[in-house]
Amino acid sequence: MKKIITIFFLFFCGCTTDYSQYRDLLKEHTLVMEKDGVVTTFDQRGINPLLKQLEQGTFEGAFLADRIVGKAAALLYVYGKVKKVYTLTISKPAIQVFEEYGIKYTADQVIENIRNREKTGLCPMETKVLFISDPTEAYKVLSSH
């Protein structure tokens, strides 16, 4: 379920280093997208909201706030041509993707890898893109899950 909220911030999206409004939104939502002054929130877990928005082509030029960004999500953000990403937690492989493709990002915490929900190994989506560096290939693999 998504909600559309119009928010007028004087210093929204990249004009400030205060991400408190996004931290607050991420307490209730899994993903926040700001594009053209409109803030949209998503509540689905995992990469499902990313894939749905990519089908609709809505990420291009957007600012995104996400709870957790691993390599799979980073490749999808690159594929969707996002402008900037803020996250509570980012993996080192995701950082490599963002730096390789010139995507601006800010993270509160850096971790080695994204683990599965049981904490017994890598997240299944991370495993799918372990040896993929091309965003288009990653999108094809991840959208067929």
Side-chain angles (χ1 to χ4, degrees):
M1 191 66 155
K2 70 177 182 176
K3 298 180 200 173
I4 298 180
I5 309 164
T6 302
I7 299 176
F8 299 99
F9 286 113
L10 180 59
F11 298 106
F12 205 88
C13 188
C15 299
T16 180
T17 55
D18 179 13
Y19 292 99
S20 60
Q21 66 266 25
Y22 304 112
R23 282 187 203 98
D24 289 344
L25 287 170
L26 289 173
K27 288 176 184 174
E28 296 182 33
H29 308 285
T30 58
L31 180 66
V32 179
M33 177 177 70
E34 188 278 329
K35 185 174 178 179
D36 301 326
V38 176
V39 174
T40 307
T41 60
F42 305 89
D43 299 318
Q44 301 90 352
R45 295 177 73 170
I47 63 168
N48 289 328
L50 309 181
L51 293 170
K52 184 174 183 175
Q53 294 310 303
L54 285 170
E55 290 171 11
Q56 298 173 7
T58 56
F59 279 161
E60 188 167 354
F63 169 82
L64 292 159
D66 197 341
R67 287 183 183 172
I68 300 172
V69 176
K71 183 178 179 181
L75 286 165
L76 293 176
Y77 288 145
V78 171
Y79 179 79
K81 301 177 183 167
V82 302
K83 180 179 177 182
K84 185 174 180 181
V85 176
Y86 164 72
T87 183
L88 302 175
T89 304
I90 193 169
S91 71
K92 289 181 178 179
I95 290 172
Q96 291 173 333
V97 169
F98 285 157
E99 289 177 353
E100 179 179 349
Y101 288 96
I103 301 293
K104 296 177 184 177
Y105 69 93
T106 301
D108 290 349
Q109 175 185 347
V110 177
I111 60 175
E112 287 297 318
N113 288 296
I114 306 300
R115 313 277 295 161
N116 62 26
R117 291 191 176 110
E118 294 79 28
K119 308 288 186 230
T120 58
L122 277 181
C123 165
M125 299 301 113
E126 298 296 286
T127 302
K128 285 185 174 195
V129 298
L130 193 60
F131 300 107
I132 295 174
S133 60
D134 177 62
T136 301
E137 184 181 351
Y139 175 71
K140 289 176 185 175
V141 167
L142 294 168
S143 62
S144 67
H145 83 278

